[in-house]
Amino acid sequence: NLRNETGGLWPSSDPAVQISQPILPPAVETDGSSSGSQDPRENVQTNEAALKDAIRFELRPGGVLAATGSIDVGSSTRLAAELDARGEYVRTVALDSPGGSLEDAMAMARLIRERDLGTLVPDGALCASSCPLVLAGGTTRTVGQKAAVGLHQFYAGTANLPAPEQAMSDAQVTAARISRYLAEMGVE
């Protein structure tokens, strides 16, 4: 079995079992290799400082509510207030965010779905980390050909690391929550 061959999740004390670190290729080749891929981040036009700031909302022509910045704790409350104040004009939420709070991203998406709004990642915008969860909330979802959408493995940003058993349990619970959420949003 796998545990006997590799030592399982923790290194084996058996000197005959050699454990190596996995080497994973980058998600996007940027060295001009013949893979044909292009780093979509090259198209991001938003100022990096603006993406690091807390998400802010701006009503634009055509019923577009631009959401630019990091999804911090409280973002969903601010989106709800913005939609309560100007919601009759909003048809689409345009996203440009490096992500952030998982809880707030899912709450934002549910607000967007409840209000029957579309989501958009326009050309030149970034939607990474928890932002694609917001994108999933749109009743219609549009991503520009020159937009950058990025996913990664989730993690807990805590100073104190839990025991391995607790970390695995927490990861499984979070993965299940995200899976149920995506199914709720109609994402396979």
Side-chain angles (χ1 to χ4, degrees):
N1 74 22
L2 185 61
R3 185 179 193 293
N4 290 338
E5 291 176 20
T6 66
L9 295 174
W10 295 274
S12 170
S13 58
D14 182 352
V17 176
Q18 293 185 350
I19 299 174
S20 64
Q21 295 296 320
I23 299 173
L24 301 175
V28 177
E29 297 293 334
T30 59
D31 62 0
S33 67
S34 61
S35 69
S37 66
Q38 176 185 349
D39 187 343
R41 294 170 295 185
E42 292 174 359
N43 297 317
V44 174
Q45 297 174 357
T46 308
N47 178 294
E48 191 174 326
L51 291 174
K52 288 181 181 178
D53 287 343
I55 202 163
R56 63 201 167 286
F57 304 99
E58 177 187 346
L59 185 61
R60 294 189 178 158
V64 175
L65 181 66
T68 306
S70 294
I71 301 169
D72 61 328
V73 174
S75 293
S76 60
T77 302
R78 292 194 311 275
L79 174 61
E82 187 70 28
L83 291 175
D84 286 345
R86 304 171 196 242
E88 69 273 10
Y89 301 109
V90 178
R91 299 288 167 255
T92 304
V93 178
L95 303 166
D96 196 358
S97 173
S101 167
L102 176 68
E103 297 298 327
D104 276 80
M106 290 192 295
M108 289 171 69
R110 287 186 174 108
L111 281 169
I112 290 168
R113 180 61 59 95
E114 288 169 8
R115 308 263 179 143
D116 195 29
L117 302 175
T119 50
L120 163 70
V121 183
D123 286 338
L126 170 70
C127 184
S129 188
S130 65
C131 179
L133 297 175
V134 180
L135 174 64
T139 54
T140 60
R141 306 171 193 122
T142 306
V143 176
Q145 288 191 358
K146 292 193 175 195
V149 177
L151 303 170
H152 65 82
Q153 180 176 345
F154 57 84
Y155 64 93
T158 61
N160 299 327
L161 295 176
E165 303 83 15
Q166 185 63 49
M168 182 168 286
S169 175
D170 293 348
Q172 289 172 335
V173 167
T174 302
R177 284 186 61 225
I178 291 171
S179 293
R180 283 191 304 271
Y181 161 79
L182 290 173
E184 174 188 334
M185 294 296 136
V187 176
E188 293 181 10

